[in-house]
Amino acid sequence: MNMTWLMRMARWARRPPSMRQVRIVAVVIAVVLVIAGLEWLGLWPDWATVEPRGGRLPRLN
């Protein structure tokens, strides 16, 4: 484990995030899971799906 991560964990143990930050992270995770679930069930609209372009873009000189 990197020393930077150990220092970060020690800082979090001494001063944990506020309840507001925890709620924000929980809401973001919930929204991502709902979107992933809708897409997995096939309920995600086509207009909201990014279509792959395939290949690389040509170089402009």
Side-chain angles (χ1 to χ4, degrees), residues 29-41:
I29 291 172
V31 168
V32 168
L33 289 175
V34 166
I35 291 173
L38 287 173
E39 186 174 2
W40 184 72
L41 291 172

Side-chain angles (χ1 to χ4, degrees), residues 33-55:
L33 289 175
V34 166
I35 291 173
L38 287 173
E39 186 174 2
W40 184 72
L41 291 172
L43 301 174
W44 190 251
D46 289 336
W47 61 265
T49 302
V50 177
E51 295 187 20
R53 288 197 228 178

Side-chain angles (χ1 to χ4, degrees), residues 5-36:
W5 287 104
L6 289 172
M7 296 300 290
R8 184 175 291 177
M9 286 189 289
R11 193 176 336 138
W12 272 45
R14 289 186 194 114
R15 198 170 167 204
S18 67
M19 187 53 77
R20 182 175 181 228
Q21 287 177 323
V22 172
R23 285 183 189 149
I24 290 171
V25 170
V27 167
V28 168
I29 291 172
V31 168
V32 168
L33 289 175
V34 166
I35 291 173

